[in-house]
Amino acid sequence: MGLIKNSKNIVKKALIHSGALRFVNSFTKSSVVILIYHSVQHEPELYDDSIGVIVHSAEVFKEQMELIAKYYDVVTLEDVMNYLKGKMNLPKRPIAVTFDDGFKDNYEIAAKIMD
């Protein structure tokens, strides 16, 4: 089993470092990543008993937003709709960050991190 896993890792690294995946990706149609967040809190562990709500750590959310800003092109849902209607093209690595439910912390914590 270890030999198979090691072989997979070698092939994966070779594909990534050779640029083969980027080359193949250049022939594919554009796609967009849409992230959906619910709640962002400074102390998410206080909400462990919540039912049906995913609470994200503000610290981790900030790290994720920094990675997104560094590696992706942020677009709006309106941009995505206009792309689907053929009215515009999307940038190379489009991503939309959305919030479900409209919790108060989306404005008080998450928006300040994204600013």
Side-chain angles (χ1 to χ4, degrees):
M1 195 73 163
L3 180 62
I4 293 172
K5 184 176 182 180
N6 192 33
S7 297
K8 283 183 174 181
N9 286 334
I10 291 170
V11 170
K12 179 180 173 183
K13 287 179 184 179
L15 287 171
I16 290 170
H17 292 293
S18 71
L21 293 178
R22 283 189 301 274
F23 176 73
V24 171
N25 191 41
S26 69
F27 295 104
T28 62
K29 190 173 182 179
S30 294
S31 62
V32 62
V33 174
I34 300 176
L35 297 178
I36 302 171
Y37 290 90
H38 294 278
S39 179
V40 177
Q41 296 288 337
H42 292 293
E43 298 178 75
E45 63 278 358
L46 297 176
Y47 302 89
D48 284 346
D49 294 334
S50 297
I51 297 174
V53 176
I54 300 169
V55 180
H56 304 278
S57 157
E59 181 180 331
V60 172
F61 180 75
K62 182 176 187 258
E63 292 170 3
Q64 292 172 353
M65 294 303 105
E66 289 169 353
L67 288 171
I68 286 169
K70 185 174 181 177
Y71 295 107
Y72 291 89
D73 301 303
V74 179
V75 297
T76 66
L77 291 180
E78 183 177 359
D79 293 337
V80 174
M81 291 302 299
N82 285 328
Y83 166 75
L84 292 173
K85 293 176 184 177
K87 294 181 178 179
M88 70 176 285
N89 291 322
L90 291 175
K92 189 171 184 169
R93 292 184 181 94
I95 189 167
V97 178
T98 67
F99 292 87
D100 192 11
D101 302 320
F103 290 122
K104 188 177 178 182
D105 61 74
N106 296 169
Y107 175 75
E108 293 179 345
I109 298 172
K112 290 177 183 175
I113 291 171
M114 296 174 70
D115 193 20

